[in-house]
Amino acid sequence: MNSIDKSIDNILESYEKYGGINLDEACIFPNRQNVVSVLNDILSLIFPGYKTAELLDRDTLRYITGEKVNRIILMLTKEVQKSFVYVKNSTTVESSHCYKMAEQAALALIDELPELRRMVALDVQAAYLGDPAAVSTEEVIVSYPGLEAIVVHRIAYFLHNCGVPVIPRIMSEYVHGKTGIDIHPGAKIGESFFIDHGTGVVIGETCEIGNNVKIYQGVTLGALSVKKELQNKKRHPTIEDNVTIYANATILGGETVIGKGSVIGGNTWVTKPVEPGTFYVNK
């Protein structure tokens, strides 16, 4: 046996020894590459003509849209089914009763796409109006990482609210890796949301953000404590309408409410409620 064969044997032995990545487990856990493929198809439906090299016109648009819709339903149903099987500790996808639930979630997302596009259009407009450097809404769509993170979040949030496990996190972590913007799919975000520059932004699971909110790079909307017993409890702040949060501000805690129309200065540390209309800076 040569050294390469021995190395292969050692790798295979580690699969049996350490677990967590074994073939039987892989069969009932969503495949990241498939989820990302579905996500990219969804993005191409939200922004037709921007995300792919397809030549779209009135003659081809319906065919291409139909092809993608059917592909999304088939692949997303399969991956969502795996996620349900995984959390229910079933042994195989085939023996589970999760298919119908998975199909319903996939169909619900397709039905939601017009509403998602409406919200995304407001996010695009917020970025264009909120950034003097923005030349056009088209530029925002193709080049603003903050917008990409928000769009993926809106998709992940919808699936999260449908009770789909695992897959929303795969989507959010995929775009986190691309943009440096970490938004938990459970975070509730209102309309016309704009993240400028974006790198290093963190928005926690139970955060609630109102309409017309603008935040800059390095902002953390986090928890005061990360104890496991706080799971499923409000741990992250509430940001009301028309708030601006400047770079590297840190706002922590489930009881921390930033009042409507407030401005939070850069490099601030906030752990208590801020009254509406306040310009807040560290003293």
Side-chain angles (χ1 to χ4, degrees):
M1 179 181 295
N2 63 37
S3 60
I4 294 178
D5 288 335
K6 179 62 176 175
S7 296
I8 293 170
D9 285 343
N10 288 339
I11 293 169
L12 295 174
E13 182 181 346
S14 77
Y15 292 161
E16 297 297 328
K17 184 176 180 181
Y18 299 116
I21 50 172
N22 293 338
L23 290 177
D24 57 341
E25 294 159 333
C27 288
I28 60 167
F29 195 83
N31 179 276
R32 186 179 189 273
Q33 186 172 343
N34 288 343
V35 172
V36 171
S37 177
V38 167
L39 180 60
N40 285 327
D41 270 344
I42 296 168
L43 291 173
S44 72
L45 290 180
I46 291 175
F47 297 116
Y50 285 93
K51 298 294 183 179
T52 60
E54 298 158 321
L55 181 61
L56 298 177
D57 54 38
R58 294 189 181 276
D59 294 327
T60 62
L61 184 59
R62 183 175 183 84
Y63 171 78
I64 292 173
T65 301
E67 183 182 42
K68 288 180 181 178
V69 164
N70 282 285
R71 187 163 65 230
I72 290 167
I73 292 170
L74 288 172
M75 188 173 292
L76 185 59
T77 297
K78 177 182 176 182
E79 298 306 321
V80 172
Q81 183 185 13
K82 289 180 187 178
S83 73
F84 282 134
V85 171
Y86 172 74
V87 298
K88 291 177 180 296
N89 295 315
S90 179
T91 54
T92 66
V93 172
E94 290 74 22
S95 67
S96 76
H97 301 286
C98 298
Y99 178 83
K100 193 63 180 178
M101 293 170 56
E103 185 181 47
Q104 288 173 348
L107 291 171
L109 178 61
I110 294 300
D111 286 343
E112 185 69 8
L113 280 178
E115 172 62 12
L116 287 173
R117 295 196 73 244
R118 183 192 71 82
M119 295 187 71
V120 167
L122 294 175
D123 297 325
V124 171
Q125 192 69 9
Y128 174 67
L129 295 176
D131 183 5
V135 174
S136 66
T137 55
E138 290 80 8
E139 180 190 42
V140 170
I141 291 169
V142 299
S143 64
Y144 275 49
L147 177 70
E148 184 169 6
I150 294 164
V151 176
V152 173
H153 171 74
R154 296 205 184 280
I155 297 165
Y157 176 78
F158 179 82
L159 291 173
H160 177 83
N161 272 10
C162 288
V164 175
V166 182
I167 286 173
R169 286 305 299 267
I170 294 175
M171 290 179 171
S172 65
E173 289 308 314
Y174 166 74
V175 78
H176 178 199
K178 286 188 68 180
T179 65
I181 299 168
D182 183 2
I183 310 176
H184 191 283
K188 184 178 180 180
I189 298 177
E191 297 181 350
S192 300
F193 183 49
F194 177 34
I195 302 174
D196 202 356
H197 306 296
T199 305
V201 167
V202 177
I203 300 175
E205 177 185 16
T206 62
C207 191
E208 297 180 31
I209 298 175
N211 298 326
N212 304 306
V213 170
K214 179 179 181 179
I215 67 177
Y216 286 81
Q217 69 273 15
V219 167
T220 296
L221 305 178
L224 274 169
S225 174
V226 292
K227 294 178 181 178
K228 194 65 176 178
E229 54 265 32
L230 294 176
Q231 187 174 11
N232 300 321
K233 295 183 179 179
K234 181 79 162 74
R235 308 183 304 280
H236 304 95
T238 296
I239 313 298
E240 295 186 343
D241 296 347
N242 304 310
V243 168
T244 298
I245 306 173
Y246 282 101
N248 300 313
T250 298
I251 305 173
L252 305 177
E255 296 182 1
T256 303
V257 178
I258 307 301
K260 184 176 180 179
S262 293
V263 176
I264 305 300
N267 298 302
T268 51
W269 179 271
V270 186
T271 58
K272 295 180 181 179
V274 173
E275 292 294 322
T278 300
F279 186 85
Y280 185 97
V281 294
N282 284 347
K283 296 180 180 179

